[in-house]
Amino acid sequence: MLVAAGCTPQSVTEEGRAVYGLYNLFLYIAAVVFVVVSGLVIWSVIRYRRRDDELPKQTHGNNRLELTWTLIPTVIVLVLFVFTMQAQNKVLDQSGDADVNITATAFQWSWRFAYEGTGAEVVGSPESIPEMVVPVGQTIRVKLLSADVVHSFYVPQTLFKRQAIPGTENLFDLTFEKTGLFHGQCTQFCGLQHPDMVFRVRVVSQGEYQSWLAAETRRGAAGQPGT
Ligand SMILES: [Cu+2]
């Protein structure tokens, strides 16, 4: 369990940190439950192993015991529920203004990233992987759409995934805390070329972002296709 949990990526966004904390809370509680339950099972196997033909003392109906094993899981689930709600509210909080607004459209079989208020847009294809370029430390508000069937926007290192549903707008914020290139993938089977629906998020400094945006906007104004 601990080795598998080691595969959880560290979050690269502010929002993802809340999810990361939640993952850890689930892991710690699950670890305690695992140790207690398997400890008791092993203890029973040894303590009540067959030594003669006599059965050990049999107990039928014990209200205190039944109440205990009903209450403990109920309390655990309630605690996890409250912490999950808190983390979810933090991840989905959109009270502040966004610095960059991007409309991400999923289609069979790639992605289109349009930068609101500018002419810049990035359109991918199965042969050319699109890159969503964003500035570090700024709030990126993504409006997620689908042009045809249900897709899913997933960047593992943000610990966040959202479906792109035809006729529905899904809004979410991503605030990247460090620069780098992060892999993204459609995670909803959407047709034969579903595995080609990869994309990348390139997080750059504010200055690099401004010059990239200016170049893309010029390209758009000149009627040339986006990169
Ligand atoms: Cu897809």
Side-chain angles (χ1 to χ4, degrees), residues 32-197:
V32 171
V33 170
F34 175 78
V35 168
V36 169
V37 171
S38 31
L40 285 172
V41 168
I42 292 167
W43 175 79
S44 307
V45 166
I46 295 169
R47 173 73 178 77
Y48 295 106
R49 69 189 183 278
R50 186 166 183 172
R51 276 174 290 199
D52 48 42
D53 279 338
E54 255 169 72
L55 283 173
K57 183 174 160 268
Q58 303 292 297
T59 309
H60 295 282
N62 183 326
N63 285 345
R64 201 190 288 171
L65 211 56
E66 284 171 19
L67 204 66
T68 309
W69 75 50
T70 307
L71 270 179
I72 293 175
T74 309
V75 169
I76 294 176
V77 169
L78 283 178
V79 167
L80 290 178
F81 177 79
V82 170
F83 278 98
T84 302
M85 287 302 293
Q86 274 180 357
Q88 189 166 290
N89 288 343
K90 220 178 278 177
V91 170
L92 298 179
D93 176 47
Q94 283 163 0
S95 47
D97 276 341
D99 301 304
V100 177
N101 288 283
I102 299 176
T103 302
T105 310
F107 60 89
Q108 284 169 320
W109 282 275
S110 198
W111 303 83
R112 172 178 175 267
F113 303 110
Y115 291 71
E116 238 169 78
T118 76
E121 78 170 21
V122 177
V123 187
S125 74
E127 290 75 37
S128 103
I129 298 173
E131 256 178 34
M132 183 171 103
V133 180
V134 295
V136 70
Q138 304 236 289
T139 308
I140 318 298
R141 187 154 297 161
V142 178
K143 189 203 281 177
L144 184 60
L145 310 172
S146 167
D148 35 50
V149 300
V150 179
H151 301 273
S152 189
F153 179 101
Y154 182 41
V155 180
Q157 277 178 284
T158 61
L159 306 184
F160 180 84
K161 176 160 78 171
R162 187 59 88 235
Q163 281 194 318
I165 300 168
T168 303
E169 274 183 19
N170 271 328
L171 280 178
F172 56 86
D173 287 358
L174 298 170
T175 312
F176 288 89
E177 289 177 317
K178 57 182 198 178
T179 56
L181 193 61
F182 306 109
H183 174 76
Q185 170 85 52
C186 173
T187 43
Q188 174 71 51
F189 181 71
C190 55
L192 282 180
Q193 277 177 269
H194 161 68
D196 292 334
M197 277 192 72

